[in-house]
Amino acid sequence: MTTQVKITKIGDSFVLPLSQEMLDKLGIPNGGEIEVMTSEDVIVLRSLQTNTRKQEFQKLKSEMFDKYEDVFKALAEGAQ
């Protein structure tokens, strides 16, 4: 998705307006946080919600493997 927007100054900050459609597509809620990166003449905005979901999934996966470690080992040994 490509769109043109106008940067606006509000107080001491500059605002880059993003459409609701774009925020929805990225899964960013109102008040959500994004990571802003720059390289040469490019600005990259990345949803932190995605990273948070990934971290939560990794945490739950680790907890599950810890909780059922004996079961997984038994299943693996039975498959031999």
Side-chain angles (χ1 to χ4, degrees), residues 7-75:
I7 297 174
T8 306
K9 185 172 183 177
I10 298 179
D12 291 336
S13 299
F14 291 89
V15 177
L16 179 68
L18 302 174
S19 69
Q20 187 66 52
E21 177 187 9
M22 190 173 288
L23 293 176
D24 290 345
K25 190 171 235 177
L26 294 170
I28 301 170
N30 183 26
E33 294 185 348
I34 60 172
E35 180 178 44
V36 181
M37 299 169 282
T38 60
S39 176
E40 304 281 327
D41 64 343
V42 175
I43 298 172
V44 177
L45 307 176
R46 185 172 68 131
S47 169
L48 290 178
Q49 306 332 91
T50 302
N51 196 27
T52 302
R53 284 192 297 258
K54 227 182 255 186
Q55 289 171 345
E56 181 64 20
F57 175 77
Q58 292 297 336
K59 178 183 169 207
L60 291 171
K61 183 177 80 168
S62 294
E63 289 172 1
M64 182 189 70
F65 278 109
D66 289 344
K67 184 175 181 178
Y68 298 107
E69 180 179 4
D70 295 338
V71 173
F72 290 129
K73 282 183 182 178
L75 287 170

